[in-house]
Structure formats: structure tokens, C-alpha cells
Amino acid sequence: MEEEEDLDDEFEDAYETIPRPSEMDLETAMQEARTAVHLFFNNRFDEAWDMLKPWVGSSMYHTIGNSVFCFMEAVLTFDPASIQKTSEALKQSVALCNFFRKKRNAINSIGKYVKKTNYDNYTPEEIHAELCYAEALLLKALLTFIEDETLPKSFFESSYKILICCFRECQIILNSKQWVNDSYKLHFESGVRMGIGAFNLMISLLPSRIIKLLEFIGFSGSKDTGIEELVTCYESRHGLRHILSVMTLLTYNLIVVYVLSRSEGDLEFCDEILKEQMKLFPDGAWFLFFKGRLEFMKGNIVESNNWYVKSWKSQQVWPQFHHLCFWDLMWTNIVRQEWNEALFYANKLMTESKWSRSIYGYQKVCLMLMIKTDLSIADHQEIDSIMSNIPKWRQRIAGKSLPMEKFCAKKSERYFAQNKNLVLPCFELLLVWNLFKVVGKKWELCDALYREIEESIRKLDAEAEGPLDADNRALLLLLKGACLNQMGKPYLAEEALKGVSALAKKIKEDNYLVPYSLVELAMVYQQQNDLERAIHLLEDTRKNYTGYSLESRLHFQIHSSLMELNKGKKISSEKMCKPNNQPSTSQF
């Protein structure tokens, strides 16, 4: 197990700090971990931490529970200090789990090891150490995923192969061991299904260039397998990881899908989950937030705002969670063009959150520029000051700049180059954050955006042509095409989107507009059920365009769209080939 030995070296220092085994037995540890989770999701954060802390570093489940809570804080804040804290907590978890795992000094390869192992000889602690070890590695991988959406090669060179092997081994243990304790099996199976489900789901989202690396080492992630395993974990209500499967399914269907793909989440299933969870956690900030997110994705903006405010007001212990609510409250008001209300939340994010001052500052300025009433001299001075500082506020996480911060920095330079003006900057942000499909849920929202876009086009036509006229016109055509697509007018949308490509040679700075418009055009073809044409356009866009702003983000969307389109094409082909009197294979 050469790869595992490499990982062991990484945590060598941590081994020296591991104490002798404590008197905390496994059954009690799992019970306390489950209680801590329920306290946490009932907004009793301090009590949850207090239950775990005395045993962190000596009890596996208390230590991995501490890592999960740290991880959630890092996800909320994106604060480098929180990320570093989570990294250290996970390092401690991996080291402790290794301490409790079965010693394997004589093993040369994991293939031989799995074949010869009799897992009935493992103690319950050793069995659960394998699972907790795999979970700690999964969280470590997810932390890398969150830190850098471009996913550096080092991600695959460190713990990736081991992560695959660990969950495969846990699955073998689950299926081959003779279980004598139902509780141990219940919680172990809950963890295995949660881990395999989350792992498959995460891998299925990755762009094709990374999938090729995975296939080279003999692994590919399946979205269907991921969802199936997570749902099975969810249906095991008493399993320790049940609540984590709930969080993963809600996060995937209500957030990840809407950022990294052009498809829709399973909103009906999310509604079912939330009805159940809100009976258990009626004042839980997380589930109030997800309820707001569900209504937002349905286009029910007023209802969404009410739930977000309830989530915000439900607890004061963890102010970082407020920022998650402020973020979405800003967007719900942007889609309604309630600029002053959105500005209120943008300002709170800029002054209170530590995540990205560059992004928050740019969003605040965009909102100020969208307000049609005359701005004061002080307002103009504030805009100029923020725009001047956006490039300076850029930060580096894991040695890399955030792609969105680069985008904001370019736009701040554009503001000054364009006589202190930007064209519909908030609409452009709606586009790059992939929120047009949410706007499209309500005709009145989409129609209001369309009218503003048309007014800006008329205004641009009336002005003298400037050096960046093609860039601005291409942006407006892309916005118009995206809006028309949501309004169910594919031929007009196609005309507008093709107009972007016609301007390609004249565009000087916004080189992202052409590939983004081509992906939007592919979505138009998909709506018309022209799957071949949509697939061909997406593949050409992925192959022929590179080096533009927010490229990784679009690659995620292209990958997910191609998966969906190819699946639809396969289903259509099977239906055409099947005789009318032939039953489907799923019936056998």
C-alpha cells in the first residue's frame, strides 16, 4: 500500500500526539455524537461543541464530529483562518483513526489485502476506524474542492487513490462481515452509504479533463449511484449519518445544481425532506435557510425572503450563518430589481463577512450603479474608492486567486476605462451566477428584466460608438438571449445569441461572452429537443475556447449539460429501437 504509506508520512507528526485509548466506549461515543448533531441543528451550537471537546483527540466519533463542525464553519465563512482550523482538525482525525485501525505492516497491496482479510476478526473499534478514516479523507478532499474550483493536480496526487480504496474497503466490510451488533451495523452502513454517495456525487460534477484522470486510475463517479446511496442513507432514519445525508441532498439539489449546472434540482423531493426535518428542528437555522432556498428556486420571492429572515433571526450564536442568509436576500431582491433593499444586504456582507471583500465590494458598487435616482457626491466618491481597491483586496487561498475575484478586478478596471460606467452590471452578475433560470420561473420577473435590457440596447444605439462598444453590445445580446430563452421564445433567443458570435472579432476585453453565449444557445437547442445540435455545440465550445474569465465555472456547466443530453439521447434511441409490443427491460 504505497499510497497509504505516503499519506501516513504526511500525518507522522500528528501520530506522536495521540494519547493512549480513552475509557470512552464506542456505543457511548456514537450516542454522544448523534446527540451533538441534533443539538447543533437545533441552534444549540455551544452545547454541541461542549459535548465533543472533552474527547477530541481520544475518541474517534468526537474527533470526527469536531472536524465536521469545523468544516461547516469553513464552508460558511471561506475565512482562511477557518479553513486552516478545519485542515488541522482533519489532520488530527486522520491520525487518530489510523491509531485505532488494524495494523497492516505485512501487507504489500490493497488487492491482496482485501482478498485475504477476514473482517470478522476485526474489533468494532477497528471496523469503525476504517469508516471514520475514509470520512476524514472525504472531508479533506471536499475542503480542497471548496478552496479552488480549478482543482489542482495535487488533489489527485495526495489522498485521492486512498480515498477510493478506503470506501471500497468499507463497502466490502459492510457486505462480508457477520454482524452481531445491529447498532454497530446500522451506524456503519449509514456512514458507508453517506460516504460513497457524497463521493460519487462530487466526482460526477467534475469537468471531463479531470474525469479522464480518474478513469486512468480505474474510477469514475456516477451521479445516479451517488443519489441512490444518499437516499438509502436518508431513509435509514436512526443511522448516525442520516442528518448528514439530509444536508448533502439539500445542498446538492438546492445550491450545487444551480451553480455548477444548467439543470434543475429535485424540488419535490427537497420539499418532502424539509417537511420532515422542520418538524424535528422547527427553529433550526439550517432548515429555515433551505426552506427559503427552496422557495427561491421555485421563483416564490416573497415567501423566500420571509424564510431567509426567519433563519437569520433564529440564532445569534453563529453570526457567520447570517451571511449565508444575507447573500441570498441580496439576490432575491436583485431579481425583483429592488436595488435599495439588495444594497442593504450587500453592505452588510461587505462590512461583516470575511470571505471576499473584492466580490462583496464589487456587488455593492453594481447595486449603487443600478439605482436610477441621482447619486450624491459622497456616493460617487465611495464607488470610485471601492473600485480602486477591488484589485488590491484580492486574496489567495491555497496559493491561488479566486476566479470570481479576478472577474471583479477586471470589471473595476473597466469601470474607469468606460468613463466611470458599467452596462447593467447586476444583470451580468445574475448571468455569471447562473440565476437566469430562477428568474424564468416567473413571467413578471423575466419580463421586467427584458424591458431593462431592451432599454439599454436602445440607449447604446443612440450613443456615439466607443472603443468598447462591441463588448457592451455583446453583453446586452447575451442577456437578451438568456432572457428570451427563459420566456419561451427560442427563435428570438437564437437570433440574439448568434449576434454575440458575430461580434467575436470586435470584442476587446470580455472574451468570456462568446463561449457563454454558445452554451446558452445549446440550451435553446435543448429546449427545442434538438439534442444532437446541442451536444455538438457544447463539445465544440469546450474544445475551441480557452483562457477566458470564469472558464472553470462554465466547464462545470458544459460537463453536466453533456451528461444530461447524452443520457436523454440514449433514452430516446432506446425508445425508437424498441418494438411497440416489447416490454421495457426494467420490468424483468
Side-chain angles (χ1 to χ4, degrees), residues 37 92 126 182 186 212 365 369 452 455 504 517 553 568:
V37 166
Q92 185 181 31
E126 288 169 340
D182 290 340
L186 171 69
K212 289 177 182 177
V365 165
L369 293 174
E452 288 294 323
E455 177 61 29
S517 70
R553 183 170 300 194

Side-chain angles (χ1 to χ4, degrees), residues 366-572:
C366 288
L367 285 161
M368 294 176 76
L369 293 174
M370 294 296 293
I371 297 173
K372 292 187 175 181
T373 56
D374 291 337
L375 297 173
S376 67
I377 294 175
D379 289 333
H380 284 292
Q381 289 174 342
E382 183 181 12
I383 291 172
D384 291 351
S385 175
I386 292 173
M387 285 296 209
S388 297
N389 282 298
I390 284 171
K392 303 173 187 176
W393 289 337
R394 283 172 56 186
Q395 56 188 334
R396 300 184 74 82
I397 297 177
K400 293 198 173 186
S401 297
L402 295 174
M404 194 64 195
E405 287 194 339
K406 292 181 182 178
F407 179 85
C408 294
K410 285 183 179 180
K411 287 295 176 177
S412 68
E413 294 170 0
R414 177 71 165 277
Y415 166 78
F416 290 108
Q418 222 165 238
N419 195 26
K420 298 184 179 181
N421 181 49
L422 291 173
V423 174
L424 296 182
C426 282
F427 289 15
E428 184 178 27
L429 288 175
L430 283 175
L431 179 83
V432 299
W433 282 108
N434 202 21
L435 285 169
F436 262 77
K437 59 186 174 184
V438 177
V439 177
K441 298 290 179 67
K442 299 292 181 181
W443 172 268
E444 61 271 20
L445 295 175
C446 218
D447 183 58
L449 259 66
Y450 180 76
R451 291 174 186 274
E452 288 294 323
I453 294 166
E454 283 286 85
E455 177 61 29
S456 293
I457 291 174
R458 286 192 291 270
K459 184 178 177 182
L460 187 63
D461 289 340
E463 294 174 350
E465 186 171 335
L468 295 169
D469 183 75
D471 297 62
N472 292 328
R473 191 172 296 279
L475 171 61
L476 290 171
L477 287 172
L478 173 51
L479 295 174
K480 180 179 179 179
C483 210
L484 286 166
N485 188 27
Q486 294 300 324
M487 297 170 80
K489 299 182 178 181
Y491 297 109
L492 291 174
E494 182 177 356
E495 181 183 358
L497 293 167
K498 286 183 175 179
V500 180
S501 296
L503 292 167
K505 293 183 179 179
K506 296 181 179 180
I507 293 173
K508 295 184 178 180
E509 294 184 1
D510 294 333
N511 56 352
Y512 84 95
L513 293 172
V514 174
Y516 269 71
S517 70
L518 293 173
V519 170
E520 191 66 40
L521 184 57
M523 298 303 100
V524 173
Y525 295 149
Q526 181 183 13
Q527 293 294 329
Q528 296 173 300
N529 205 34
D530 192 346
L531 304 189
E532 285 281 2
R533 200 174 183 187
I535 291 169
H536 181 72
L537 186 55
L538 288 172
E539 289 176 342
D540 279 355
T541 304
R542 182 174 61 186
K543 181 173 62 176
N544 296 328
Y545 292 88
T546 187
Y548 53 88
S549 296
L550 305 176
E551 181 177 350
S552 294
R553 183 170 300 194
L554 192 64
H555 274 238
F556 276 104
Q557 295 175 15
I558 290 173
H559 170 69
S560 65
S561 296
L562 283 171
M563 285 181 61
E564 184 179 342
L565 287 165
N566 282 312
K567 185 177 180 180
K569 180 182 172 184
K570 182 180 179 182
I571 292 172
S572 297

Side-chain angles (χ1 to χ4, degrees), residues 274-319:
L274 284 167
K275 284 177 181 176
E276 179 181 281
Q277 296 304 313
M278 291 180 75
K279 289 179 183 177
L280 298 172
F281 310 102
D283 298 316
W286 284 98
F287 298 111
L288 292 171
F289 169 80
F290 278 123
K291 178 62 174 174
R293 185 76 185 180
L294 174 65
E295 296 302 329
F296 186 19
M297 296 306 101
K298 289 180 177 179
N300 300 328
I301 306 303
V302 174
E303 295 89 337
S304 174
N305 281 357
N306 290 337
W307 287 108
Y308 284 139
V309 171
K310 284 182 182 179
S311 176
W312 162 24
K313 304 286 187 180
S314 68
Q315 60 84 31
Q316 301 301 321
V317 176
W318 211 0

